[in-house]
Amino acid sequence: MVKLKTDREIDEMRAAGRVVARALAAVREAADVGVALLDLDLVAREVLREAGATSPFLGYRPQFAPVPFPAVVCVSVNDAIVHGIPGDYRLRGGDLVSVDCGAELGGWVGDAAVSFTVGPARPADLRLIETSEAALAAGIAAAVPGNRIGDIAHAIGATCRAAGYGVPDGFGGHGVGRTMHEDPGVPNEGPPGRGMTLRPGLVLAIEPMLIAGGTDDYACDADGWTLRTVDGSRAAHSEHTVAITADGPRILTAL
């Protein structure tokens, strides 16, 4: 069931979104050569604690997962696309890192992701990240009343494909509100003019995921969570929680 939010509820979701933005900024600042991914999770936990927020990621267990997710952030490095579990791996110069974070505050959830490099960046990685951000911007620009879910999907997919990147099949954005995953689903590719009509009060997590090698193939690690590119190429992930309003899209997870 699709749940529309009032203006007041969207303002309350913005408070949760600010916590997500602060957590992502803190993790990005802490990410450096030699830093363990577990340490990045601790940084995010402290931001949530100081804000009086909790994590919708921690303990989350959808049907596909063999175990509950054990962290408050997903940290996916290089060929990991999404859902990376923070562990003992220590960042190296040139790594491409994607961090996904959520926060629950006052009964509302915010969800966002960012990709960046550590140390000297490869031009190809910068282009991949820039395209993921451009695809996110294109999807957000299409999130206006009267458009359809397919218009968001088409804007994202067209941006990714024009740059020669792959789009993992079956993964995309979603509604968000009282819980992290609500209806409707938001594909990262598809024909325009299809799907549910967008209305003020609808809040969506829009999140393009790109595979540098141009294929759409991925595989899941033995941990049951981490998705990796089959061809070993790198991946990037960008995401914002966005409210559709009569005045246009409102990004709830920006700083």
Side-chain angles (χ1 to χ4, degrees), residues 133-148:
E133 293 171 349
L136 175 59
I140 292 172
V144 295
N147 271 0
R148 294 178 177 269

Side-chain angles (χ1 to χ4, degrees), residues 55-66:
S55 169
F57 288 18
L58 184 63
Y60 179 61
R61 188 180 183 183
Q63 289 184 344
F64 68 78

Side-chain angles (χ1 to χ4, degrees), residues 200-245:
L202 182 63
V203 181
L204 304 172
I206 299 174
E207 50 177 323
M209 307 163 196
L210 286 64
I211 296 176
T215 71
D216 301 346
D217 300 327
Y218 60 87
C220 189
D221 279 3
D223 63 21
W225 280 99
T226 308
L227 301 185
R228 294 189 186 276
T229 63
V230 169
D231 63 5
S233 66
R234 295 189 168 193
H237 176 206
S238 297
E239 178 183 16
H240 270 308
T241 296
V242 180
I244 294 163
T245 79

Side-chain angles (χ1 to χ4, degrees), residues 135-232:
L136 175 59
I140 292 172
V144 295
N147 271 0
R148 294 178 177 269
I149 291 289
D151 295 314
I152 297 175
H154 178 72
I156 292 170
T159 302
C160 298
R161 296 299 186 186
Y165 297 129
V167 179
D169 184 46
F171 285 86
H174 49 88
V176 62
R178 291 289 187 187
T179 61
M180 182 167 56
H181 292 124
E182 296 183 354
D183 292 330
V186 186
N188 282 332
E189 190 170 34
R194 303 280 185 89
M196 174 184 166
T197 300
L198 306 180
R199 297 168 55 191
L202 182 63
V203 181
L204 304 172
I206 299 174
E207 50 177 323
M209 307 163 196
L210 286 64
I211 296 176
T215 71
D216 301 346
D217 300 327
Y218 60 87
C220 189
D221 279 3
D223 63 21
W225 280 99
T226 308
L227 301 185
R228 294 189 186 276
T229 63
V230 169
D231 63 5

